[in-house]
Amino acid sequence: MAAKRRPPINPEDTAPESMRAVCRNVVVAGKRTSIRMEPLLWDSLADISRREGQSLNDIVTMIDGRRGDSALTAALRIFILSYFRTASDAPSNTPGLAEEQTPFGTTADYSRVFRKALEIFDEA
């Protein structure tokens, strides 16, 4: 059952544009689907995609394959947080990133930061 949103006390008291979820289409394992996240999260996922030199669809497909029974949007939020927390702990000269990569195919082709961030899904 979906949670009901509380109406604003003041009709002009709505969430700022930056906090309003945006629905976008992505291709996950060859199938088009819609994902609803806040603009900052979409921007963060696009940043990860650029840093890793991989398409956003490929990254979302990888997360989808590792998320278990959690919702895809929740798994993406957790991954984004994990990625940037991992990156902030890395030495400043650590490549994040596409510089240390080989052709796409497995997680070994991603940066150490990316692989470490994925470990969040391996915890039991």
Side-chain angles (χ1 to χ4, degrees), residues 26-113:
V26 296
V27 177
V28 179
K31 294 182 180 181
R32 190 173 136 190
T33 189
S34 297
I35 297 175
R36 188 172 169 88
M37 293 191 302
E38 295 72 17
L40 179 60
L41 292 170
W42 282 115
D43 291 347
S44 298
L45 194 55
D47 286 345
I48 293 169
S49 177
R50 276 190 298 281
R51 288 174 177 228
E52 296 298 326
Q54 305 297 332
S55 77
L56 190 136
N57 292 334
D58 287 339
I59 291 173
V60 174
T61 296
M62 180 173 288
I63 302 307
D64 182 58
R66 299 180 74 118
R67 68 185 169 101
D69 62 356
S70 69
L72 179 56
T73 303
L76 288 169
R77 286 183 172 114
I78 294 298
F79 171 74
I80 292 166
L81 178 61
S82 178
Y83 183 92
F84 286 111
R85 286 186 72 188
T86 301
S88 71
D89 290 341
S92 61
N93 62 349
T94 300
L97 314 168
E99 295 85 34
E100 69 178 59
Q101 293 176 14
T102 57
F104 181 68
T106 67
T107 57
D109 300 328
Y110 286 87
S111 71
R112 182 190 60 74
V113 170

